Amino acid sequence: MSIFEYNGSAVVAMVGKNCFAIASDRRLGVQLQTIATDFQRISKIHDHLFIGLSGLATDVQTLNQRLVFRHNLYKLREERDMKPDTFASLVSAILYEKRFGPYLCQPVIAGLGEDNKPFICTMDSIGAKELAKDFVVSGTASESLYGACEAMYKPDMEAEELFETISQALLSSVDRDCLSGWGGHVYVVTPNEVKERILKGRMD
Amino acid sequence: MKSSHQPSQSWPLVAGLPGAQETIYSFFSPSFVTLSYFSFFFSLNPFSRFDYFKSLKMKLDTSGFETSMPMIGFGSSSDMLDGFSTVPSFDLPRTTDFDGFQKEAVQMVKPAKGTTTLAFIFKEGVMVAADSRASMGGYISSQSVKKIIEINPYMLGTMAGGAADCQFWHRNLGIKCRLHELANKRRISVSGASKLLANMLYSYRGMGLSVGTMIAGWDETGPGLYYVDNEGGRLKGDRFSVGSGSPYAYGVLDSGYKFDMTVAEASELARRSIYHATFRDGASGGVASVYHVGPKGWTKLSGDDVGELHYHYYPVAPATAEQVMEEAAAE
């Protein structure tokens, strides 16, 4: 198994009507053995911007901390929150700095931009940005996730329906992957509130 | 000409050659030490020792260090020791891949059988249990594979390893058992059946079959349990677990096992062991099936979906999470 499959992960983000949802699995494993079932892969950058990282767990944690730090610094200097597309460029630059010794993770960035327009993008481990209008996926279960999201996604869903869709897509995809699952973590973000939910999934 | 290298100070051999140490100490990095020196001196090749003594009398040329000393007897390992051409001293086998066998050995021990199966003998017979997941690397190809194979109405076999191999050879074993019954007018014993299987697998040894199975049954001598694998190994025992999830299953099984259990207690122990293995092992999951083999043959006791079993053992009280309410946006 490759180094990206050492810990196992699944992250997905979807766009709805003036809202977005970002979800991840909760397993932390060492190849086939499960070590923990409450691993945090998604961090909040600010109320309207979340980043989920898949891949090697140590890099996930380190990169999360570095990005939160960079954003805090930005806030002190600019006295405002970063826009999602600016943040995506920042992440891309940080990843490319380590071009010849990269962070072994793939980020999924989701945020509400100007006029509360949802923004999602994903990157590979050296910072190639891929913007999408509907959904983005990453992790060991990414192929199953592509299939599930493609089948279940509809444009302009409201927050509740979006939550249902992303949860079903995540759970059904990780049920086909040995290395991810053991529950789910979903954030649904609208202009007024952030709803965080833990999913009850198959624990095998 | 072979160049020498500095032996370790602690090595007892060194004591006999004080001159050698001083001459060469300054030229060679002390990190290239002892093991090769040891084998150098005790190598079966008489010439190596001879050459070393000869070189003691030479003045070593330090210029053009790395390329000026051609290496004899290094053969294929020269590319390995590229930057360290000054460290010779033992003969290496002249092959292109002289440590591949180590990698092979590691691969052999790796759990190639992504599954969990277990069986144990107790007062009332034999309890056999297995999960039902088939995985290909990281992908789950099926969650509903029958891993407990019914050889005949009083014998069961478990499947671990290659599914096709297990299914075919168990069926083949069933045929042989039936032929034995017809020829001898009596049922075959568990010992005999497992021996037949082990001998069949032994004759295919090294051809890449992957079978790690347990034969469980009840014959005239009482309950019988044997472990048979593709190497042709056959072990008689009271408790076995096979597969990548077996360490987790053993943990639960061994701590809860008593010989005097009722059928209900034993089946719960078996089910719980499989459940814990599916929780921890990524390659096990699906449905935990439990079978019991008694004096009148086998019966299937339960087949519980492991996902639901988790919430049965560890119910989750629905908790309301804090919701962060934000200021309503001005625009």
Side-chain angles (χ1 to χ4, degrees):
Chain A
M1 291 185 196
S2 83
I3 189 65
F4 288 101
E5 292 164 27
Y6 185 73
N7 294 124
S9 51
V11 183
V12 57
M14 267 192 198
V15 162
K17 194 171 165 113
N18 287 343
C19 62
F20 69 85
I22 181 166
S24 76
D25 74 319
R26 303 184 82 209
R27 176 183 184 265
L28 173 70
V30 168
Q31 293 186 326
L32 287 176
Q33 181 179 49
T34 305
I35 307 290
T37 56
D38 58 359
F39 188 67
Q40 280 272 41
R41 288 203 163 81
I42 300 179
S43 343
K44 186 172 99 148
I45 304 294
H46 62 76
D47 284 331
H48 290 156
L49 180 56
F50 284 77
I51 178 164
L53 288 154
S54 67
L56 196 64
T58 176
D59 283 346
V60 164
Q61 289 182 324
T62 304
L63 204 51
N64 269 335
Q65 289 162 10
R66 276 196 74 184
L67 293 170
V68 166
F69 165 76
R70 288 298 295 264
H71 179 256
N72 287 342
L73 206 54
Y74 182 92
K75 261 186 93 159
L76 287 170
R77 289 182 176 142
E78 302 265 328
E79 291 175 5
R80 65 179 177 89
D81 288 331
M82 224 191 242
K83 292 205 207 95
D85 37 358
T86 317
F87 182 72
S89 300
L90 172 69
V91 178
S92 175
I94 286 178
L95 291 174
Y96 199 79
E97 265 172 14
K98 301 265 188 250
R99 168 66 175 82
F100 298 107
Y103 287 110
L104 298 158
C105 27
Q106 284 129 347
V108 162
I109 295 166
L112 286 178
E114 263 160 67
D115 302 324
N116 294 322
K117 194 168 170 319
F119 168 91
I120 51 172
C121 86
T122 184
M123 271 168 233
D124 69 358
S125 55
I126 45 176
K129 253 190 295 191
E130 187 224 305
L131 308 168
K133 292 199 175 64
D134 39 15
F135 57 85
V136 288
V137 307
S138 95
T140 50
S142 58
E143 282 151 354
S144 304
L145 276 166
Y146 272 127
C149 290
E150 196 70 65
M152 299 185 197
Y153 179 79
K154 290 194 314 276
D156 288 331
M157 285 187 278
E158 295 293 336
E160 282 309 311
E161 205 192 342
L162 186 65
F163 166 70
E164 281 298 326
T165 310
I166 199 174
S167 306
Q168 291 295 353
L170 181 70
L171 289 178
S172 57
S173 311
V174 301
D175 282 347
R176 273 291 174 185
D177 182 25
C178 297
L179 302 169
S180 55
W182 276 256
H185 211 138
V186 186
Y187 292 82
V188 180
V189 180
T190 57
N192 304 328
E193 64 174 358
V194 173
K195 267 210 181 117
E196 178 188 342
R197 291 183 181 96
I198 310 268
L199 300 175
K200 256 172 74 158
R202 284 185 69 95
M203 297 295 217
D204 66 351
Chain B
M1 132 195 91
K2 271 204 190 136
S3 24
S4 329
H5 73 117
Q6 184 246 340
S8 147
Q9 297 291 335
S10 62
W11 204 249
L13 286 171
V14 168
L17 300 159
Q21 261 177 285
E22 282 127 61
T23 325
I24 54 178
Y25 189 84
S26 50
F27 302 128
F28 295 90
S29 143
S31 60
F32 293 106
V33 260
T34 35
L35 184 60
S36 43
Y37 183 75
F38 176 73
S39 56
F40 172 81
F41 260 86
F42 291 95
S43 73
L44 298 171
N45 180 355
F47 294 109
S48 54
R49 212 175 301 190
F50 181 66
D51 288 346
Y52 177 81
F53 288 149
K54 259 176 60 181
S55 63
L56 285 180
K57 299 173 190 102
M58 282 171 9
K59 213 165 159 233
L60 289 160
D61 177 17
T62 58
S63 63
F65 221 48
E66 276 168 37
T67 50
S68 67
M69 299 194 208
M71 292 168 298
I72 303 166
F74 264 91
S76 55
S77 65
S78 54
D79 51 338
M80 233 178 68
L81 297 174
D82 240 345
F84 311 112
S85 51
T86 51
V87 193
S89 89
F90 61 96
D91 289 339
L92 290 167
R94 290 163 202 268
T95 61
T96 45
D97 177 28
F98 78 99
D99 69 349
F101 75 93
Q102 284 179 330
K103 293 174 200 152
E104 270 178 53
V106 169
Q107 281 299 112
M108 247 177 17
V109 185
K110 258 195 187 149
K113 300 169 175 143
T115 187
T116 311
T117 59
L118 61 86
F120 58 90
I121 291 180
F122 68 115
K123 188 181 65 173
E124 310 268 0
V126 195
M127 201 56 82
V128 184
D131 75 315
S132 68
R133 176 175 286 184
S135 50
M136 298 191 307
Y139 182 68
I140 298 174
S141 39
S142 171
Q143 290 269 60
S144 50
V145 176
K146 269 194 72 172
K147 293 191 188 176
I148 297 181
I149 298 163
E150 298 139 9
I151 299 170
N152 59 41
Y154 59 97
M155 238 192 312
L156 292 173
T158 59
M159 183 201 296
D165 288 334
C166 290
Q167 280 171 0
F168 176 83
W169 288 106
H170 279 121
R171 188 136 171 116
N172 196 288
L173 179 64
I175 295 170
K176 287 215 161 78
C177 291
R178 180 73 182 135
L179 287 171
H180 181 277
E181 266 181 43
L182 293 168
N184 301 83
K185 287 199 183 152
R186 50 184 265 179
R187 279 183 180 171
I188 191 171
S189 61
V190 184
S191 169
S194 61
K195 193 85 177 183
L196 278 175
L197 182 64
N199 289 340
M200 282 195 286
L201 292 176
Y202 183 80
S203 58
Y204 285 89
R205 204 174 130 105
M207 294 198 191
L209 286 183
S210 172
V211 171
T213 182
M214 296 178 285
I215 305 293
W218 189 293
D219 58 24
E220 287 157 2
T221 60
L225 179 61
Y226 287 82
Y227 165 75
V228 179
D229 70 16
N230 55 275
E231 306 281 305
R234 171 173 166 270
L235 297 170
K236 182 169 157 69
D238 289 335
R239 295 205 288 278
F240 286 113
S241 176
V242 181
S244 57
S246 62
Y248 313 112
Y250 269 129
V252 178
L253 179 60
D254 289 341
S255 54
Y257 177 81
K258 292 191 300 284
F259 184 75
D260 305 306
M261 280 190 285
T262 62
V263 173
E265 284 168 355
S267 92
E268 179 55 27
L269 178 66
R271 197 172 69 152
R272 195 139 199 167
S273 307
I274 295 286
Y275 156 73
H276 278 286
T278 61
F279 181 79
R280 283 287 171 183
D281 180 31
S284 304
V287 169
S289 347
V290 182
Y291 284 65
H292 172 243
V293 186
K296 295 194 178 58
W298 57 259
T299 39
K300 180 164 179 171
L301 293 180
S302 63
D304 300 296
D305 182 290
V306 158
E308 285 157 34
L309 215 49
H310 172 84
Y311 295 107
H312 168 72
Y313 288 135
Y314 303 104
V316 176
T320 47
E322 293 270 308
Q323 291 188 7
V324 177
M325 296 303 287
E326 284 192 24
E327 306 287 319
E331 281 77 28

